[in-house]
Amino acid sequence: MSTTLNLESSTTFYTTIQARIRTFLSANDYIERKIPLVSSPRSSAAASSSPGDNDDATSTKQEQEQEQQQPTFANRALLISSFTDGVAPAAAPAQQFLKTSLISTLANDALEQVEEHVESSAVQSPCCGPDMEAVAVMEELQDALLDLNQSERAAESTAELISNKGDLLEGILQHVSASYGIVGDTDDDDDTDDARSRASSSDAGEDHSASAPAATTAPPVTVRLLYIPTAMYALRADSTSTPGKQRQRARYDAKQRRKQLEELLYDMLNEHTGSTTPTTTAAFEGADPASATNNDSSSAAAASVSVNVLAVTLDLDDGSIKQPFGSDEPSDFPKDGEEALTDWSPHMIYVEGGNTFWLHHCMTKGDWADKIVAACSGPSGAVYCGKSAGAIIAGKHVETATWKQMDDPSVVPGMEEYEDWAGVSGLSLCGDLSIFPHMASKWEDLVEEKQKDIDDSAVLLTDWDVCCISGDTKEATFIGIESSTNPEVAGSNPSVTDGGSANTDLVQA
């Protein structure tokens, strides 16, 4: 029995004051609802890219079945209809969820690197023992992550967590920065850090123009962003522009959208870097000189840490990497899509909206599904952010893209009709949930009819709604806007509750 979670509180409310909302929203205007996630085995369409990829001659049938039964949840994910409306407003809890998720991913990534360094130093010098500076940073990261995880579970809302734990987030970024001074080849890292600081101040535009000598700052915390705009690149048969002009326009639009995301990351994370002014410009300013290898907690806190974003664009159609940003060093960026999703270890993967069918086609023909799922799994897995088509593809089924018949399936050879997409699987990064973005009241009757055709729960997201996935707790948090004029909502509309079952209360979020 399929069920539907409707996150739309009041269509009239959304459509009449959209311009005002972006400016005047406060945390009190949002609702957060949490539900447990459940997951069935992934189907072969999403779980394996090509025959034989997961074959192991030594594996027994029982072992293979057990492996197939493993649930597939993203480490952290945000599924949205609109970046501008759902994430960009400063008061949006979804932005706060993104912030804590990224900081957690950065810390876990740093912790893994420091743990490897500690183990290696102990092996190389068995008489002297491990590098004690590295041990100190490792313990500080472990304690801070434990505190953050416990705080996330105890907080009643994302806004409450941020308001009460701002110092903790700042401390974690300090510890991450300190780890950079320990791990890696010191001389090479110093040169790279200098290049990153120079590139950041020169490439990021006038909003990021200030810079300071690298010698006066702690190593910048580096966020690796992988931006995937493939869905935007689908050609439109009804367009009067030539294919070349369509591609040119799509690439320009994607570049502008990526820039908006980069700027959000700078501003958002630099609120917790210890800089004197939490503005975008402060992303590249240092306060007090400090040694990058001084791992005493009080000394580390004295150093001003900045944030640098290393960003690349990946087109799943051909696996090409374009538009590297954040450093002058070519070695700081992946050479191709496979390296971008594996050895480069992105901290955030943003999948842009557009034509869902073209996105799925490119993902399938390039065997990208397993790589994306793997890159988003585990404590240090990338934060997945899927917008519109990127949200649909993250769900259990992509069939919801056929409901409004607004995307053109004819761009995919052999699957030109909407009926061809019945039962086609997505990445299942949110368990058994499927996603229906851009929900509005005019689609209510359609959704009620269509959701009977799928065997999982459909999440209906207006442009203001966000579905936040926490893989570690196997929990989804639904965030939306509550209007003071909303009527009491109750009735026969089913909603997702414990275990994906249905009840008669419409969940508002």
Side-chain angles (χ1 to χ4, degrees):
M1 175 65 179
S2 59
T3 56
T4 304
L5 179 71
N6 192 339
L7 302 185
E8 182 180 30
S9 297
S10 172
T11 302
T12 302
F13 176 67
Y14 289 108
T15 56
T16 56
I17 60 170
Q18 287 185 353
R20 184 180 69 82
I21 281 179
R22 292 192 186 98
T23 306
F24 297 105
L25 276 177
S26 70
N28 294 330
D29 294 314
Y30 290 90
I31 297 178
E32 297 184 37
R33 288 291 179 86
K34 296 183 178 182
I35 65 164
L37 291 173
V38 293
S39 179
S40 303
R42 293 172 64 204
S43 68
S44 58
S48 60
S49 300
S50 60
D53 279 351
N54 297 319
D55 289 346
D56 186 346
T58 62
S59 297
T60 65
K61 181 178 180 181
Q62 182 179 8
E63 289 172 337
Q64 292 173 344
E65 289 176 349
Q66 290 175 345
E67 182 178 357
Q68 183 186 27
Q69 292 294 328
Q70 293 299 314
T72 56
F73 300 113
N75 172 35
R76 296 293 177 94
L78 293 88
L79 308 178
I80 61 178
S81 295
S82 168
F83 174 83
T84 303
D85 297 330
V87 180
Q95 185 179 133
Q96 310 310 316
F97 178 86
L98 173 60
K99 179 191 300 183
T100 56
S101 297
L102 263 180
I103 291 176
S104 176
T105 294
L106 286 164
N108 277 292
D109 182 35
L111 179 59
E112 290 181 3
Q113 301 300 318
V114 173
E115 286 174 340
E116 290 179 5
H117 177 82
V118 169
E119 182 177 352
S120 175
S121 65
V123 172
Q124 293 175 3
S125 181
C127 295
C128 298
D131 182 342
M132 294 311 297
E133 289 184 347
V135 170
V137 172
M138 180 181 70
E139 292 175 346
E140 287 169 342
L141 281 168
Q142 290 171 336
D143 291 343
L145 280 168
L146 179 61
D147 191 356
L148 179 60
N149 291 336
Q150 291 175 341
S151 299
E152 286 183 308
R153 286 167 170 77
E156 294 185 0
S157 68
T158 308
E160 176 187 316
L161 172 66
I162 295 296
S163 63
N164 294 338
K165 292 296 180 179
D167 290 344
L168 172 61
L169 299 179
E170 180 178 331
I172 291 176
L173 290 174
Q174 295 283 354
H175 299 325
V176 171
S177 174
S179 75
Y180 293 171
I182 293 175
V183 177
D185 298 325
T186 305
D187 292 338
D188 290 342
D189 285 352
D190 288 343
D191 292 339
T192 299
D193 288 341
D194 290 346
R196 288 176 181 174
S197 297
R198 293 193 302 271
S200 299
S201 60
S202 61
D203 290 349
E206 62 180 68
D207 288 338
H208 309 288
S209 58
S211 62
T216 65
T217 63
V221 174
T222 300
V223 179
R224 294 186 291 273
L225 167 64
L226 182 61
Y227 182 78
I228 303 177
T230 303
M232 294 180 64
Y233 295 169
L235 298 178
R236 295 179 60 93
D238 59 351
S239 175
T240 58
S241 300
T242 64
K245 287 185 177 180
Q246 288 188 55
R247 294 189 186 96
Q248 184 179 16
R249 179 58 194 236
R251 291 191 180 100
Y252 174 81
D253 289 344
K255 187 175 182 179
Q256 297 307 307
R257 294 181 186 182
R258 196 188 86 174
K259 182 178 179 181
Q260 182 186 19
L261 176 60
E262 291 166 359
E263 291 176 349
L264 173 71
L265 296 180
Y266 278 116
D267 290 341
M268 181 181 70
L269 293 177
N270 274 291
E271 292 178 6
H272 301 281
T273 56
S275 300
T276 55
T277 305
T279 63
T280 307
T281 302
F284 307 102
E285 293 182 332
D288 301 320
S291 171
T293 58
N294 188 342
N295 300 298
D296 181 80
S297 298
S298 59
S299 299
S304 176
V305 177
S306 62
V307 172
N308 185 35
V309 176
L310 295 179
V312 293
T313 293
L314 165 61
D315 185 3
L316 299 180
D317 186 18
D318 58 8
S320 61
I321 292 292
K322 295 182 175 65
Q323 300 169 358
F325 167 86
S327 173
D328 291 333
E329 284 291 329
S331 60
D332 286 336
F333 301 102
K335 298 185 295 292
D336 53 34
E338 182 170 359
E339 183 180 343
L341 286 165
T342 54
D343 295 341
W344 198 56
S345 300
H347 298 117
M348 182 176 182
I349 297 175
Y350 189 98
V351 183
E352 189 61 77
N355 190 310
T356 308
F357 308 121
W358 179 250
L359 175 61
H360 185 277
H361 167 68
C362 293
M363 191 175 291
T364 301
K365 75 171 184 175
D367 294 342
W368 297 111
D370 280 347
K371 296 180 181 69
I372 292 175
V373 171
C376 297
S377 302
S380 61
V383 178
Y384 180 96
C385 188
K387 173 185 142 186
S388 193
I392 294 175
I393 203 75
K396 183 179 180 182
H397 288 126
V398 301
E399 189 174 344
T400 53
T402 70
W403 290 1
K404 290 184 285 189
Q405 298 192 357
M406 297 184 73
D407 289 357
D408 180 11
S410 68
V411 297
V412 180
M415 300 189 71
E416 293 90 350
E417 305 297 330
Y418 291 109
E419 292 78 10
D420 297 330
W421 293 88
V424 174
S425 298
L427 298 174
S428 294
L429 291 175
C430 49
D432 284 350
L433 299 178
S434 292
I435 309 299
F436 182 78
H438 308 295
M439 178 60 184
S441 58
K442 64 182 178 180
W443 303 117
E444 289 178 356
D445 292 340
L446 174 69
V447 169
E448 184 178 358
E449 179 64 28
K450 292 291 187 180
Q451 59 93 23
K452 299 174 183 176
D453 299 330
I454 60 175
D455 60 359
D456 51 279
S457 303
V459 179
L460 314 181
L461 299 174
T462 71
D463 283 0
W464 307 101
D465 299 326
V466 181
C467 177
C468 300
I469 304 298
S470 300
D472 54 343
T473 58
K474 295 181 175 58
E475 194 171 56
T477 303
F478 299 98
I479 299 172
I481 301 172
E482 180 182 30
S483 167
S484 60
T485 61
N486 278 349
E488 292 295 325
V489 181
S492 60
N493 292 40
S495 63
V496 177
T497 56
D498 191 356
S501 61
N503 67 16
T504 58
D505 294 327
L506 182 65
V507 175
Q508 301 179 72

